């Protein structure tokens, strides 16, 4: 169990969401286990787990732009008197619904009375004087002497403070939702519970970070479009943008090593899928266990649609790829990705031989941007949209090809990347109905963005072209986002 806890703590750090060694994961095995020792949050984690009757719990402080975005949204919710953040992305709608904010600044069980505020004759509070070190311990458990296993251990009073401070509020929030946000001392902390495994807490925390990142930048662009940005918001945005630049600097810049196609057999195709899935994660184009990858492959037994299993992590696909028959004569697809019907429809109707689906953040953010303030369909855009929209990205040949077009050697044309509605699953508004036409029109397109969801990219021979599209479109969308913000600010007279 400890191996699982340390694995998912490390994955949060590898994704750039938390500092290395910072996340605390707790889970029941024969006894309660923690990802690391000497953390001041351990009594709190144990108390919340007991109150929930859950199997696992995560407490983690996001870092970089995710910390900035989540903190900004939590403060906005508090100032508006709201108890939760309600992002507009697909992951939140489908899995999280909303993100409760536990305001530890004002929670009655935690902050102590201010000096001189106690009624005359009232008994002294045993927690007096602990508010500052307790908050510091929660804010930065690795640097604080109270939490460092090489320095002084916590005394009983601090243990009691940690146990009693947030237990009720966290337990109540996590009984209602999979995760919540704790606002304390100018920082935010993520909490997530799992009924079965530590992996559930990792998935929830990753999704919370993604949702808040997308929500913050989308809301800022909407405010800029409406001309209602304040000087304080601009300063905050500039700070978060600086944090983002540092986050991006950690990502690889060199091309990934992907196998060229066509593939001789299903084993080669599986190996290429594993390579591509790992690259999507390493380059920050998907979070936790979301996204999927597939390949259409000829075999002596017939044509297969090889696809990642539902709930599988793209950087751990070995043994988790389903061989579904293109003629439908197999039930193997029962464990395939929930987006298998969309993949099959794309292969049935177009030239693609490989598909990569990720959740690149700025592609998702731009999909939410609309300049029709009075659109009657607003709020229902994820299901249907009467206005065709698209991103026109510059040409981007696959990284393993020359600058010319992969098929003809001619100079490639700019990419038209449609933005389409579509819900996860089947039904009239399902991805299996909205996405395939967008990718298969005009002889086949290299990509399409599903509103608030993510980007699907195709390859006609292998994953080199698909990955170049996924990576290149996200880079373009990031640049386009800041171009739009600057242009709107200039138009409002603030630039």
């Amino acid at each position: 169990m400890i191996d699982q806890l340390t694995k998912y703590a490390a994955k949060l750090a590898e994704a750039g969401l938390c500092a290395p060694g910072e996340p605390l994961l707790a889970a029941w095995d024969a006894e309660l286990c923690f990802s690391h020792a000497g953390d001041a949050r351990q009594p709190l984690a144990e108390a919340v787990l007991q109150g929930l009757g859950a199997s696992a719990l995560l407490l983690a402080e996001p870092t970089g732009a995710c910390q900035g975005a989540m903190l900004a949204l939590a403060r906005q919710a508090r100032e508006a008197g709201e108890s939760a953040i309600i992002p507009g992305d697909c992951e939140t709608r489908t899995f999280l619904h909303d993100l409760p904010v536990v305001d530890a600044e004002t929670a009655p069980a935690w902050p102590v009375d201010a000096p001189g505020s106690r009624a005359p004759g009232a008994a002294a509070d045993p927690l007096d004087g602990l508010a500052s070190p307790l908050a510091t311990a929660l804010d930065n458990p690795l640097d604080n002497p109270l939490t460092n296993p090489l320095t002084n251990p916590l005394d009983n009073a601090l243990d009691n403070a940690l146990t009693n401070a947030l237990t009720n509020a966290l337990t109540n929030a996590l009984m209602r939702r999979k995760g919540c946000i704790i606002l304390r001392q100018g920082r935010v902390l993520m909490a997530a519970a799992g009924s079965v495994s530590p992996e559930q807490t990792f998935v929830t925390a990753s999704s919370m970070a993604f949702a808040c990142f997308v929500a913050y930048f989308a809301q800022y662009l909407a405010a800029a479009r409406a001309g209602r940005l304040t000087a304080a918001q601009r300063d905050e945005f500039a700070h978060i943008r600086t944090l983002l630049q540092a986050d991006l600097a950690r990502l690889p810049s060199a091309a990934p090593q992907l196998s060229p196609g066509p593939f001789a057999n299903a084993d080669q195709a599986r190996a290429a899928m594993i390579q591509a899935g790992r690259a999507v994660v390493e380059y920050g184009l998907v979070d936790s266990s979301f996204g999927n990858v597939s390949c259409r492959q000829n075999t002596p037994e017939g044509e297969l649609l090889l696809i990642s299993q539902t709930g599988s992590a793209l950087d751990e696909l070995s043994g988790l790829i389903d061989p579904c028959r293109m003629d439908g004569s197999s039930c193997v697809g029962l464990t395939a990705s929930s987006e298998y019907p969309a993949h099959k429809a794309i292969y049935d109707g177009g030239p693609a031989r490989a598909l990569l689906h990720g959740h690149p953040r700025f592609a998702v953010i731009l999909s939410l941007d609309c300049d029709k303030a009075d659109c009657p369909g607003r709020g229902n855009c994820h299901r249907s949209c009467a206005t065709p929209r698209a991103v026109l990205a510059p040409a981007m040949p696959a990284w393993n090809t020359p600058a010319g077009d992969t098929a003809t050697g001619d100079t490639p044309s700019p990419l038209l990347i449609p933005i389409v509605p579509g819900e996860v699953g089947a039904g009239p508004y399902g991805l299996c109905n909205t996405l395939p036409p967008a990718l298969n029109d005009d002889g086949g397109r290299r990509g399409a963005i599903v509103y608030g969801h993510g980007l699907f990219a195709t390859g006609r021979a292998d994953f080199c072209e698909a990955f170049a599209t996924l990576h290149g479109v996200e880079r373009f969308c990031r640049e386009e986002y800041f171009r739009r913000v600057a242009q709107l600010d200039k138009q409002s007279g603030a630039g």
Side-chain angles (χ1 to χ4, degrees), residues 242-266:
T242 300
L243 296 176
L244 174 63
Q245 291 169 342
D247 292 345
L248 294 172
R250 70 171 183 83
L251 297 175
S253 56
Q257 297 298 311
L258 301 178
S259 299
F263 308 119
N265 51 53

Side-chain angles (χ1 to χ4, degrees), residues 88 103 121 140 147 267 271 322 348 461:
D103 188 354
N140 205 348
T147 67
D267 286 342
D322 284 345
D348 283 341

Side-chain angles (χ1 to χ4, degrees), residues 37-314:
D39 194 306
R41 300 168 293 184
Q42 288 179 358
L44 175 63
E46 180 174 2
V48 172
L49 274 174
Q50 290 176 341
L52 289 172
S55 172
L57 185 79
L58 166 71
L59 296 172
E61 181 180 314
T63 189
C66 283
Q67 169 69 223
M70 194 175 289
L71 177 60
L73 294 175
R75 284 172 167 167
Q76 288 173 22
R78 181 180 64 181
E79 291 166 3
E82 298 170 351
S83 61
I85 298 167
I86 306 177
D89 63 285
C90 174
E91 288 182 26
T92 303
R93 280 197 312 273
T94 307
F95 302 103
L96 301 176
H97 307 299
D98 60 31
L99 304 176
V101 176
V102 176
D103 188 354
E105 304 282 11
T106 58
W110 190 3
V112 300
D113 296 327
S117 65
R118 189 179 297 116
D125 190 323
L127 302 185
D128 268 355
L130 287 179
S132 178
L134 173 58
T136 304
L138 280 173
D139 286 341
N140 205 348
L142 296 181
D143 294 339
N144 192 277
L146 291 169
T147 67
N148 191 318
L150 301 179
T151 59
N152 295 329
L154 300 171
D155 59 23
N156 290 334
L158 183 55
D159 285 345
N160 290 336
L162 282 165
T163 301
N164 296 325
L166 294 177
T167 300
N168 290 339
L170 278 180
T171 302
N172 290 336
L174 294 175
M175 280 182 173
R176 189 172 69 86
R177 292 290 183 255
K178 296 177 181 180
C180 67
I181 296 168
I182 305 167
L183 177 61
R184 175 67 179 173
Q185 293 283 306
R187 304 286 287 176
V188 287
L189 194 73
M190 298 183 292
S195 59
V196 177
S197 71
E199 182 182 15
Q200 292 174 302
T201 68
F202 163 72
V203 171
T204 297
S206 299
S207 297
M208 290 168 63
F210 171 86
C212 288
F213 186 100
V214 169
Y216 172 78
F217 281 96
Q219 289 175 18
Y220 188 89
L221 180 55
R225 194 171 288 287
R228 49 183 172 81
L229 289 174
T230 67
Q233 286 175 315
R234 290 187 177 92
D235 290 344
E236 179 182 68
F237 180 78
H239 171 65
I240 294 175
R241 185 175 182 180
T242 300
L243 296 176
L244 174 63
Q245 291 169 342
D247 292 345
L248 294 172
R250 70 171 183 83
L251 297 175
S253 56
Q257 297 298 311
L258 301 178
S259 299
F263 308 119
N265 51 53
D267 286 342
Q268 282 190 11
R270 287 188 184 91
M273 291 172 67
I274 292 170
Q275 285 180 335
R278 189 177 297 118
V280 172
V281 174
E282 289 176 352
Y283 283 71
L285 299 171
V286 77
D287 58 293
S288 66
S289 62
F290 293 94
N292 39 68
V293 55
S294 70
C295 182
R296 183 175 186 172
Q297 180 63 34
N298 291 320
T299 72
E301 295 76 26
E303 201 168 25
L304 296 178
L305 194 172
L306 301 168
I307 188 168
S308 52
Q309 290 184 3
T310 186
S312 58
L314 290 190

